[in-house]
Structures are given as C-alpha cells and as structure tokens.
Amino acid sequence: MDATLVDGVVRAGHQARERFYDSSGYGRPVDDGEIELAPVEAAYLLYRGDLASVDGMGFQSLLGSAVVSEVDFFVYSDLRSRGFYLSPAWPDRVENAAGCDFVVYPRGKGPWDDDVAYRITVVSERETVPAGTLGECALAVVDEESEISYFRTARPDVSGTSQTTVPDTSGELLADRVVCWDPPAALYEQAFYGQPIDEQDPDAVQLSLVEAAYLADTGTLRVEDGADAVTERGRSVEGERFDRRLAVYETLREQGIAPKTGFKFGADFRTYAAIESVENLGHSERLVRVFDAGHAFEARDLALDVRLAHGVRKTMVYAFVGAVADGRDADIDWLVVERLTP
Amino acid sequence: MDATLVDGVVRAGHQARERFYDSSGYGRPVDDGEIELAPVEAAYLLYRGDLASVDGMGFQSLLGSAVVSEVDFFVYSDLRSRGFYLSPAWPDRVENAAGCDFVVYPRGKGPWDDDVAYRITVVSERETVPAGTLGECALAVVDEESEISYFRTARPDVSGTSQTTVPDTSGELLADRVVCWDPPAALYEQAFYGQPIDEQDPDAVQLSLVEAAYLADTGTLRVEDGADAVTERGRSVEGERFDRRLAVYETLREQGIAPKTGFKFGADFRTYAAIESVENLGHSERLVRVFDAGHAFEARDLALDVRLAHGVRKTMVYAFVGAVADGRDADIDWLVVERLTP
C-alpha cells in the first residue's frame, strides 16, 4: 500500500482507514473516507512493512528526511512495541495538545476513546528541560544510543504530621553550625532538630545553620547577636543558596515535614513526614533538591537524581524557589519526578 | 591535668607524655620530656575528660575559639572512636605532610611506627574540592549536620582487552546519530559499537555521534561528507563537551575498553574492559564522567556520583581532559573515587 505526503501530512485511502485506523488506531479519518497519518506513524508503518512507500520513499529515506524526527520515531516505536496506541499531540487529533508530543491511550483503548494513560514529552538527552514544562506530562528521554528512559512528573502534596514546636533554648554560633550546650530533650528527641555531638551522651546538640536560622527566626532559639547573625553566617558560607534552602526548610517544617540533610544522597534534604520521636524514626520518604525558579534540567542530571532516589526507595522532589525576602515567604513550586515503566 | 597554649600549640608535662603519647599516640614528645599537642588533639582530650583545661579553657570554650576547626575536630574524634591513632599532618609530626590534614596509622600502630593507613583531607560539605588535590589522599567530607562521608581517591589503571577493530562499513548521518544500514556483524556483535534499531532484526545498527566520530576518524566508517561532518555535528549538538567526550572515548577504545552511554546512571560512559561478544556481555565495571582539566568538585556532587555507582556495583571514574586538538591526543588525567569505611 502506498501513501502520499502533502504539507507534512501523509494521506492514505479507504483501505488504509480500515486497516490502520479502525483496527489499530493509526491516523485520523478525514471526510472523504481516507485517513491522515502523521509522518512518525507512516515511518512506523513503513518500518513494519505495512506501508510500501510514502511518495516513493521507504523507511530509510523517510527517517533520513527532515519530515520525521528520529527521537520521536524511537519513542513512538517503543510505545507501540509495548502494546499502546498513541497519537501525536496535534490539535486536530487530541484535546489539550499543548505541552506534549504524544498522547498515549490505556492498553486496549485508542483514539476513539476518551481515556488517556500518559501525555508524553519527548526530548533528546542533550536538550535541557525547563522545569516549568514539567508537572503534568511524562518525559521520554532518548539517550545518544537511542535507549529511552521514561519519567512521571507530578505536583506532590507537601504536608505531614511531624512535630515542630519545642521549648525555647539557647545556642552558640561556631564557624559552620550552632551548638546548644544544654537543650531541652524534645529538641532532638521529639522534633529531630540537630544531632547530638556524642550519641552516647546526648547533652549537647549541634544544629546546622539552616536549622538554627529557622529556630532563631521563630523565636525558639536564642543566639548571641540574634537570628540575623545566623542567617548572615549561612549566606557567607553558602551565598544565595542559603536563602533558597532556608525558604524550603521553613515551608517544609510549617507543613509538618522534618527535613534533614540529604548530603549522603547528593540532595539538599531528606524528609520525614511523620516523626513522633527519633527513637521510633522510620526511613525518610523523599529527597528534596532546591533550585531557583526558572531552572532548566540537564536530562542527565534528572536521570541521576531519580535513579539514586529509586535505589534508596525514596521519591525525588524538586523545589523551585521564587524571589526570597530574608529567606521567608517565598513562592515555591514543587515537582516530583519518578521512574516510569509504561 | 592542665595544659598551656602557646603560639597555636598546646604544651603538657612529663606525666602527659607518658599517659597521652606513650600509651595512646597523642602529640609529639619534645626535648625536655614534655609533649606538644595540636589543638584538635587537646580538644579531644578535653572532650573525653582526660585533660581538665587548656589555659583555663574547657572543651566548650576551646571548640568555640578560632584555635580549633570544628570540622577537624569531628573527623579527629570519629577516627579515634573507630580505634585509630592519628596525627595532624604537621611537618614536624609526619613525613610528606603536604596535601592532607591527618595521617592515620593502621589499627594497633601509632606515630612511632612508619606505617600509614590513610592520608586524610578534611573538607566541609560546602567547600569545592579541586580535582588536582585528589588521587593520593582519602577525603573526609563533613556535612552540615556533622556526619562524615569518607572517600578513597586513587589513580586507576585504564586498560582492557575489549575488541576494537572491525571491517569497514558505511553509515548515514541523521540529526543526532548515524545509521549503518548494512554493517558487518562484528560491528555490534563482537566490538559492541552501536545498537541495532530493532533487537529482533539486527540488520541496521545505529551509532551514537561519539562512536561514529571515532570510527570515522580511524577509517572504519565511511560517511557522506567525511569524518569531519560527524565531529561537526557532535559539536553543534553538544558544544565543546563533544570534543572532551570524544578524546576520552578514543583513549578508552585504544586501551581496549569499550565505552557505552552512561546516561541511565547520569554519567558520560559506562565501560566494559573485556568484551568478546555482546552475546556473552557481563556487567559494565565503571562509570566515567568527563570534565575539563582544572575541574573543582562540589562535595555533594561527588557524594551523589559515588553513592549511585556503589549502588549499581560499579566504580566511579573521572576523566579530566586537557587542551584538545580535534578531539584527539589530549592529555587525560584519571581519578577513581570510592566509598571508604575506615
């Protein structure tokens, strides 16, 4: 069976409609009983041998032409081989086409149904991915050897039941942390602020600068020279990043989530949503990485974070922090990214 | 027992020499039968209650003073609690003191022996670590909550027995890769260049741009417009990074190591040192990340890479590429970084 290419759309006759659209969900029926195929669909049909040619071109010629993006072809082909029907996100093919490349139907469903399994955005590993384009779609990243990694992206719920209030105490600012020499037991043992200097003798508790800045801001911690001295120290050792991290720390604590350092996982924080006491501490559920609003991901960095989080059974969450006034009241957008096996 | 602080060195009497140096490896004996202690040693002895004061200061005052770095104290204390004797890397205390902060003796040995277990460089998580300072030492990174991560650094052997030569073939340059429509079987099946477009039907093999550039440079692959067209395409999609990656790819292949994409691990390459055929492919042994010569690590990125590599049972290797002429004949320094549990 042959087809023709007109203005970037492939056109095939009545027989194609029956064989490709009705029985297998390719293309879009048009008024005269024919179908229109996107070039990527036609390339796949050529590749399978179901179409003989498109304007005289075989698979090799069509893939080598500028009409079909090779990364689109690899993703289309992969999803078809996994048993899905899918449509290119063209306005005349699917609703809400903006912001994605393919709409994938649940297995057993097709373009004649209303259900959607995934809205897929296709990128090459070398492209950067603006964070603002994520949150609704699944990402298909085609690496340089044409292997495909899929990622689910969504907006997480950010709330928990971890305790945040403790009796007042005082601390001493050292170079890179604050030590409370005689803190209330609840500081560490119930609310999981800081770390004992000595696990055997939990009298003295050291706080990270971000913990200390939050506790000083909220009036729980007294430090010589006041809360601003802690924030200033944070900025001097970490720059603007300190304000972004403090804004995220504050929001998490106020939502009942306890953040601790995520350093061992290469993240800003690991978080606990339901701490009652350190004695009965479960595993942290999430890794949080903090970025400026407007951040664009390198696809490789995203793959690294998500793979590591998956390997330690945590969920990777990103926080994008807008303009920050004194580390407080910032607009924060949250994004969760997870491995997806379609 | 009390001690005095003079010019940044703590001095204690005869009794201290016997109790601290002779039996426990603290300090350095000096001519008059007394000992000199580094402030970090004195802080640890104060912390343990073995010293009563240093110039009237207790542990809290000494740690709060500028004389002792808190991150040094945490590392010193951690290694002591693991059963090691160690000395600050002062020229009058140890040989080859340059480039590290502590010299750690094997368990059961001390400063009176010649054996060294680790030469430790201490950094705070917020410091950047110039790659040039690594390779001989172990790194102790103190995170913001004073947890310590240790890393072994060394110069890896870069050689293997993977096959590299295959019969000549030709390929077609697409946007972001090259397709060999009719390659010799050895290309993929023995030498592990490229990937079949279809695993069921391994006729056509796609090559990544870096694979294609290497094969075109070495005369194995003919591409319309020549080898330079492939390299130019690589640069246009990846910038200078392409030349660095090509230089590393070339060196690895010439040393009998087969590199494939490390994208799923967030690295540039994963490598196989002993490929005889793809059918009997083992696991890749290393992840390789490519940087410019002069690179400085964020400690957090190092922690992320090494943790991920460890989780997938691979070794993390870095390649630092000096000035590159056409992706070839570059100076490359290699570094391996692994988790260390002292």
Side-chain angles (χ1 to χ4, degrees), chain B residues 127-159:
Chain B
E127 292 173 61
T128 55
V129 184
T133 64
L134 303 176
E136 314 291 329
C137 64
L139 200 59
V141 185
V142 181
D143 72 26
E144 61 179 338
E145 291 172 8
S146 310
E147 293 275 332
I148 304 166
S149 301
Y150 293 94
F151 301 99
R152 189 180 80 88
T153 76
R155 302 288 167 196
D157 173 48
V158 179
S159 67

Side-chain angles (χ1 to χ4, degrees), chain A residues 220-232:
Chain A
T220 302
L221 180 71
R222 286 181 313 278
V223 179
E224 207 179 336
D225 300 328
D228 287 351
V230 181
T231 309
E232 282 309 317

Side-chain angles (χ1 to χ4, degrees), chain B residues 5 12 15 24 53 57 87 104-105 124 138 141 205 235 287 314:
Chain B
L5 178 66
Q15 210 187 330
S24 304
S53 74
M57 288 185 283
S87 299
V104 182
Y105 308 104
S124 154
V141 185
V205 166
R235 283 179 196 146
L287 299 180
K314 302 184 196 302

